[in-house]
Amino acid sequence: MVLIDGKATAAAIKQEIAARVAEIVGAGGKRPHLAAVLVGHDGGSETYVKNKVLACEACGFESTLIRYEDDVTEEELLACVARLNADDAVDGFIVQLPLPRHISEQRVIEAIDYRKDVDGFHPVNVGRMAIGLPCYISATPLGILELLRRYKVETSGKRCVVLGRSNIVGKPMASLMMQKQYGDATVTVLHSRSRDLKEECRRADILIAAIGRPGFVTAAMVKPGAVVIDVGTTRVPDATRKSGYRLSGDVDFDAVKDIAAAITPVPGGVGPMTICMLMLNTLAAGEKKFYS
Ligand code: GUN
């Protein structure tokens, strides 16, 4: 079994990005600048945003963190998005999700200038991704493609099962795995209403689990020799940890590792790659790679 090491791969890519930034700055160019907007104090979001800011430092980017309390109005948040859209010093920005219930996430996402939407959540970027045009691609699926590429996992013509149909992971992942220029695979998407879920999973050469249910994928659902990608990062209570919790993937790692040809661990698999791909999108924003 090959352990697909997302942490080491992400570290290598961040070094590559930092080298490119040094080149840009050496030639008199500007450091890429990412802004992140964080609303409230959700523990998961705080950790993600902190890690995004640290990744910016590692890549030689400028970063700005803008914080609001939970009771920020949608109007105030939309005004912040408008300011960031207009700020030439900021190449790209994200609004960390989820947002409080009184704010429409969709309205906020659609207010972001798609040319600065380094999360790749704006409908323009989602649409361009779906038809194979240059654009910002959502970081988690992009990170998974990059892991498959760097670990030389053959995807063309293979059966790929995507478990989950979220806008952030499942849908873009399925779309990318299907497209000739990315995965070129035969893709099945499974979700909470799917029939014969176990049998469908067992047909997969590449199984990508993104449903947010700890340990959902058991050994009986994995074909011997399959490549298993675990996107789950659910916090489960664990009194033995200082933090009081541990991260649990969607895959029963201990049981599946002896069956799979390759597998991503949690933590240290897809998670670090996601942040790293946000950095790659920010580098592209700084270089005006997709949009001028
Ligand atoms: N919440 C969970 N994942 C993400 C992400 O990739 N981007 C943003 N903005 N919020 C998230």
Side-chain angles (χ1 to χ4, degrees):
M1 182 272 296
V2 173
L3 189 70
I4 300 179
D5 188 339
K7 195 171 167 192
T9 308
I13 295 172
K14 278 187 275 189
Q15 279 193 2
E16 292 165 22
I17 296 172
R20 177 68 194 131
V21 172
E23 254 177 41
I24 293 169
V25 173
K30 168 183 164 308
R31 283 181 194 284
H33 183 174
L34 175 74
V37 181
L38 174 59
V39 178
H41 299 274
D42 171 74
S45 293
E46 293 261 10
T47 305
Y48 284 130
V49 170
K50 187 182 83 190
N51 288 335
K52 287 171 186 179
V53 170
L54 288 173
C56 281
E57 277 171 32
C59 293
F61 295 170
E62 269 190 61
S63 66
T64 301
L65 173 58
I66 300 166
R67 300 196 68 134
Y68 289 98
E69 291 302 321
D70 274 316
D71 60 359
V72 66
T73 65
E74 187 176 288
E75 205 179 358
E76 284 173 293
L77 199 55
L78 290 172
C80 171
V81 167
R83 280 194 298 276
L84 290 169
N85 284 341
D87 186 346
D88 288 338
V90 172
D91 297 297
F93 67 97
I94 63 155
V95 178
Q96 187 67 27
L97 305 178
L99 292 172
R101 291 233 310 270
H102 66 277
I103 297 175
S104 159
E105 288 186 353
Q106 199 53 37
R107 209 169 287 151
V108 171
I109 289 170
E110 289 188 38
I112 296 171
D113 185 331
Y114 67 88
R115 293 166 297 189
K116 293 190 175 187
D117 167 40
V118 285
D119 259 332
F121 293 168
H122 190 283
V124 169
N125 283 311
V126 176
R128 290 177 66 94
M129 182 276 295
I131 57 174
L133 294 177
C135 64
Y136 298 113
I137 294 174
S138 162
T140 302
L142 191 60
I144 292 169
L145 285 181
E146 191 61 21
L147 278 180
L148 294 172
R149 196 174 69 82
R150 292 197 180 221
Y151 277 82
K152 300 192 169 28
V153 174
E154 179 61 75
T155 57
S156 182
K158 297 292 166 89
R159 277 185 206 282
C160 173
V161 165
V162 177
L163 255 176
R165 54 178 163 181
S166 70
N167 286 343
I168 292 183
V169 186
K171 278 184 208 158
M173 190 76 248
S175 175
L176 292 163
M177 285 305 284
M178 172 186 68
Q179 290 181 54
K180 191 175 177 70
Q181 62 175 325
Y182 298 108
D184 201 22
T186 303
V187 180
T188 302
V189 180
L190 304 178
H191 50 78
S192 54
R193 305 294 294 166
S194 295
R195 273 188 246 159
D196 304 326
L197 198 128
K198 269 199 168 101
E199 293 71 21
E200 293 284 357
C201 285
R202 250 190 98 82
R203 284 157 59 87
D205 300 307
I206 300 157
L207 178 59
I208 302 173
I211 44 167
R213 290 174 59 178
F216 182 84
V217 176
T218 61
M221 292 161 71
V222 177
K223 179 165 82 171
V227 172
V228 180
I229 306 292
D230 190 348
V231 186
T233 50
T234 308
R235 285 182 168 195
V236 298
D238 184 343
T240 69
R241 304 287 176 102
K242 210 170 75 186
S243 62
Y245 69 88
R246 67 188 152 81
L247 286 185
S248 175
D250 288 348
V251 177
D252 179 355
F253 181 88
D254 288 333
V256 171
K257 72 179 193 316
D258 300 323
I259 299 168
I263 184 168
T264 61
V266 176
V270 173
M273 289 299 290
T274 295
I275 292 185
C276 184
M277 293 300 106
L278 175 66
M279 299 299 115
L280 210 53
N281 280 346
T282 304
L283 177 64
E287 297 197 87
K288 307 276 181 279
K289 194 169 161 195
F290 304 131
Y291 309 112
S292 55

